[in-house]
Short mmCIF file of all heavy atoms in Angstrom, two decimals:
data_model
loop_
_atom_site.label_atom_id
_atom_site.label_comp_id
_atom_site.label_asym_id
_atom_site.label_seq_id
_atom_site.Cartn_x
_atom_site.Cartn_y
_atom_site.Cartn_z
N ALA A 2 26.49 -40.08 15.53
CA ALA A 2 26.66 -39.23 14.34
C ALA A 2 28.11 -39.21 13.94
O ALA A 2 29.01 -39.23 14.76
CB ALA A 2 26.19 -37.82 14.65
N PRO A 16 10.13 -31.15 13.93
CA PRO A 16 9.92 -32.47 13.33
C PRO A 16 8.54 -32.65 12.69
O PRO A 16 8.37 -33.46 11.81
CB PRO A 16 10.11 -33.44 14.49
CG PRO A 16 9.94 -32.62 15.73
CD PRO A 16 10.31 -31.21 15.37
N PRO A 21 11.08 -27.04 5.75
CA PRO A 21 11.21 -25.69 6.28
C PRO A 21 11.14 -24.61 5.21
O PRO A 21 10.79 -23.47 5.49
CB PRO A 21 12.58 -25.67 6.96
CG PRO A 21 13.13 -27.04 6.89
CD PRO A 21 12.24 -27.87 6.02
N PRO A 24 5.98 -22.91 1.97
CA PRO A 24 5.19 -21.81 2.53
C PRO A 24 4.34 -22.31 3.69
O PRO A 24 4.00 -23.48 3.77
CB PRO A 24 4.32 -21.36 1.36
CG PRO A 24 4.39 -22.44 0.35
CD PRO A 24 5.62 -23.23 0.61
N ARG A 30 -4.05 -22.88 1.96
CA ARG A 30 -5.49 -22.74 2.04
C ARG A 30 -5.96 -21.59 1.15
O ARG A 30 -6.98 -21.68 0.47
CB ARG A 30 -5.93 -22.52 3.48
CG ARG A 30 -5.85 -23.78 4.33
CD ARG A 30 -6.52 -23.60 5.67
NE ARG A 30 -5.93 -22.56 6.48
CZ ARG A 30 -4.91 -22.74 7.33
NH1 ARG A 30 -4.38 -23.93 7.47
NH2 ARG A 30 -4.45 -21.72 8.04
N HIS A 36 -8.24 -21.22 -6.22
CA HIS A 36 -8.41 -22.23 -7.26
C HIS A 36 -9.88 -22.66 -7.35
O HIS A 36 -10.44 -22.76 -8.45
CB HIS A 36 -7.50 -23.43 -6.99
CG HIS A 36 -7.58 -24.47 -8.05
ND1 HIS A 36 -6.98 -24.32 -9.28
CD2 HIS A 36 -8.20 -25.67 -8.08
CE1 HIS A 36 -7.22 -25.39 -10.01
NE2 HIS A 36 -7.96 -26.21 -9.30
N TYR A 58 -20.86 -2.01 -25.94
CA TYR A 58 -21.31 -1.69 -27.30
C TYR A 58 -22.64 -0.95 -27.28
O TYR A 58 -22.84 0.02 -28.02
CB TYR A 58 -21.40 -2.96 -28.15
CG TYR A 58 -20.49 -2.92 -29.34
CD1 TYR A 58 -19.12 -3.03 -29.20
CD2 TYR A 58 -21.00 -2.72 -30.62
CE1 TYR A 58 -18.29 -2.97 -30.28
CE2 TYR A 58 -20.18 -2.66 -31.71
CZ TYR A 58 -18.81 -2.79 -31.53
OH TYR A 58 -17.99 -2.70 -32.62
N VAL A 110 -25.42 -9.18 -25.58
CA VAL A 110 -25.98 -9.31 -24.23
C VAL A 110 -26.93 -10.51 -24.15
O VAL A 110 -26.87 -11.31 -23.21
CB VAL A 110 -26.70 -8.02 -23.80
CG1 VAL A 110 -27.54 -8.23 -22.55
CG2 VAL A 110 -25.69 -6.90 -23.57
N LEU A 114 -29.18 -14.26 -32.17
CA LEU A 114 -28.52 -13.95 -33.44
C LEU A 114 -27.04 -13.63 -33.24
O LEU A 114 -26.48 -12.74 -33.89
CB LEU A 114 -29.23 -12.80 -34.17
CG LEU A 114 -30.68 -13.04 -34.56
CD1 LEU A 114 -31.31 -11.76 -35.12
CD2 LEU A 114 -30.79 -14.17 -35.58
N ALA A 124 -17.09 -6.53 -38.97
CA ALA A 124 -17.23 -5.55 -40.06
C ALA A 124 -17.13 -4.13 -39.49
O ALA A 124 -16.42 -3.28 -40.06
CB ALA A 124 -18.56 -5.75 -40.78
N ALA A 165 -12.54 -14.62 -28.43
CA ALA A 165 -12.81 -15.69 -27.47
C ALA A 165 -14.28 -16.12 -27.54
O ALA A 165 -14.59 -17.32 -27.53
CB ALA A 165 -12.45 -15.24 -26.05
N GLU A 170 -18.42 -19.91 -29.52
CA GLU A 170 -19.65 -20.09 -30.29
C GLU A 170 -19.46 -21.10 -31.42
O GLU A 170 -20.33 -21.92 -31.66
CB GLU A 170 -20.11 -18.73 -30.84
CG GLU A 170 -21.34 -18.78 -31.70
CD GLU A 170 -22.61 -19.19 -30.97
OE1 GLU A 170 -22.66 -19.13 -29.73
OE2 GLU A 170 -23.56 -19.60 -31.66
#
Side-chain angles (χ1 to χ4, degrees):
R30 286 191 299 272
H36 183 75
Y58 241 72
V110 168
L114 298 173
E170 177 66 18

